[in-house]
Amino acid sequence: MERTVARVALFAALIAALGLVPQIMLPFAGGVPITAQTLGVMLAGLVLGPWRGTLAVLLLIVVVALGAPVLAGGRGGLGVFVGPTVGFLLGWAVATLVIGWAYQVMASRGVFLAGLLASVLGGIVVLYVCGIVGLALVTQMPLLQAAGVVLIFIPGDILKAVLAALLNREIRRARPEFAD
């Protein structure tokens, strides 16, 4: 139990720490920044699994709701839950669950390949569905237009998925018990 709590807290802190990497705002991206935090979300699902990874993300979301400025750009508080990134923020929990589940299902394909496929499925496909819906609702933008706006993020998120798969492989090599 203590190990689970420590790992959940560690990954919530990791995702928060990745918020310190300066965000990149694109003028045509509807107020959605490029951040490093999705890398932490992918890693949480891969390393901790579906349930503990999701708990880490939910812990971070609670910390954000309490006002801690732990999102990229120093954002935090209830205001982020009515902003254009709300779908992505809440989608982190769903994405982490899918990443962890997909990784477990595909683990027999090899640690790297399973990690990459799970990160793409959960950390890009599922997360983008949540993010696009949230962006469209908050900005009153048509869904197709919101989808077009976030396409610019795909290359960077593919890079994050590759990095998450590589890091997951190395973590499992160095500390196989960490993911137990």
Side-chain angles (χ1 to χ4, degrees):
M1 178 66 166
E2 293 100 24
R3 283 202 301 186
T4 295
V5 171
R7 290 174 182 166
V8 165
L10 175 66
F11 272 82
L14 172 67
I15 297 166
L18 287 169
L20 296 173
V21 175
Q23 68 180 5
I24 300 169
M25 292 298 292
L26 302 173
F28 49 85
V32 179
I34 296 173
T35 76
Q37 288 181 296
T38 49
L39 172 61
V41 169
M42 291 176 188
L43 280 171
L46 292 175
V47 175
L48 296 182
W51 303 112
R52 289 183 289 183
T54 301
L55 282 174
V57 170
L58 290 173
L59 175 59
L60 180 74
I61 290 172
V62 168
V63 169
V64 168
L66 292 173
V70 295
L71 295 177
R75 295 173 303 123
L78 295 176
V80 299
F81 295 94
V82 294
T85 61
V86 66
F88 289 98
L89 178 61
L90 297 178
W92 284 355
V94 180
T96 305
L97 187 68
V98 171
I99 291 165
W101 170 79
Y103 179 75
Q104 288 177 347
V105 168
M106 295 185 282
S108 64
R109 297 178 186 226
V111 174
F112 175 77
L113 182 60
L116 178 62
L117 293 174
S119 293
V120 169
L121 176 63
I124 298 176
V125 175
V126 170
L127 184 58
Y128 277 47
V129 168
C130 298
I132 289 166
V133 169
L135 179 61
L137 288 173
V138 169
T139 63
Q140 299 180 1
M141 187 183 297
L143 275 175
L144 284 177
Q145 183 181 353
V149 164
V150 300
L151 287 177
I152 189 72
F153 300 117
I154 290 176
D157 284 336
I158 289 171
L159 181 62
K160 290 177 210 170
V162 169
L163 186 54
L166 287 169
L167 289 169
N168 177 55
R169 183 184 68 194
E170 296 309 312
I171 289 168
R172 289 176 185 279
R173 280 185 184 164
R175 301 287 304 261
E177 75 281 359
F178 193 84
D180 293 336

